Amino acid sequence: MIAFLNGQYLAKDRVCISPDDRGFLFADGLYEVVRFYHNRPFRLREHRQRLENGARELRFNRCEFPEFDEVLMNLIEKNQLKRVESAIVYFQVTRGAAPRSHRFPPPETPLTVYAFAREFFSAVEEQENGAGAILVEDDRWGHCDLKTIALLPNTLAHQKARDAGAVEALFVRQGLVQEGTHSNVAVVKGGVFYTPPLTRHVLPGITRQAVIELCREADIEVRETAISKNFLLEADEVMIIGTTVEITPIVRIDGKLIGSGRPGRLTQKLQAAFFRLTHNM
Ligand code: PLP
């Protein structure tokens, strides 16, 4: 596999990152995952803008990544992924390497930029038949709107879901459902599409935005509003939304069936529209 590190393409097993890297020591970094469908990136500009916005919020010494698009395209090409149906590119930026100190390193310290690409397969069975989720208390920090690499609460919660035979854990903060560990969440009730509003506790998902647009095109009413745990459990349909999960129906939460326990009509309609959107770019 050919990866990218600080301006160079090299075999992934030759990538060397300093033990002083602030990503390693402090999780002081940001990342993006961009999906390619038949060699076409899905919403590339939106991913770059989210990264640049994160870099501004974290006060990185560089907040523009003009190389982003080209690195992604090159990795797809160099890894022979132009012809596969779907691939992902992972792109990470950290505040760079400097002797360990809480204080930011000198402003001339170069950021560390690392990226790799690989083929990616959708979880077709889960998308067709639906899957389970669990609810967990949201113990993450106060800036989940930034896509930082500090994902320990997410990985712990996700593993808890896997251990319970579910595919996602949904974070609940003060009785309100926020998002999944690697997805946004939405609910259908009475034909209306509900999703939590963009606050500091929710990542502004690129797929979430695309799905909202698909709803509007299909004349489905969208309400970006707080979703209580009870509202979620009594929904007609629940789905998780994201770059990797795309639109996956959630048919069981903490063992309780949602609606009929089968993927709902509106979820399936959005899945079909999303497939058309991603495969006719
Ligand atoms: N929320 C979290 C916590 C995520 O990690 C992700 C994606 O990884 C999402 C939501 C969905 O975002 P996107 O659609 O941009 O992939």
Side-chain angles (χ1 to χ4, degrees), residues 201-219:
H201 307 303
V202 173
L203 185 78
I206 307 300
T207 322
R208 172 189 180 279
Q209 181 56 34
V211 173
I212 287 176
E213 288 165 22
L214 290 175
C215 284
R216 299 217 162 107
E217 279 161 30
D219 269 332

Side-chain angles (χ1 to χ4, degrees), residues 33-60:
V33 180
V34 178
R35 187 92 177 242
F36 279 66
Y37 294 94
H38 295 297
N39 195 31
R40 298 251 163 82
F42 183 64
R43 307 229 162 166
L44 187 58
R45 181 169 38 93
E46 287 83 346
H47 281 282
R48 180 170 29 77
Q49 285 171 347
R50 185 169 64 185
L51 181 71
E52 292 177 341
N53 178 53
R56 272 188 295 277
E57 293 289 322
L58 297 187
R59 298 168 56 202
F60 278 5

Side-chain angles (χ1 to χ4, degrees), residues 31-33 47 50 140 147 151 154 179-184 203-208 241-244:
Y31 75 107
E32 283 296 326
V33 180
H47 281 282
R50 185 169 64 185
R140 301 172 302 160
K147 202 165 169 61
L151 293 173
N154 303 55
E179 62 176 342
T181 66
H182 63 301
S183 61
N184 289 107
L203 185 78
I206 307 300
T207 322
R208 172 189 180 279
I241 297 170
T243 295
T244 54

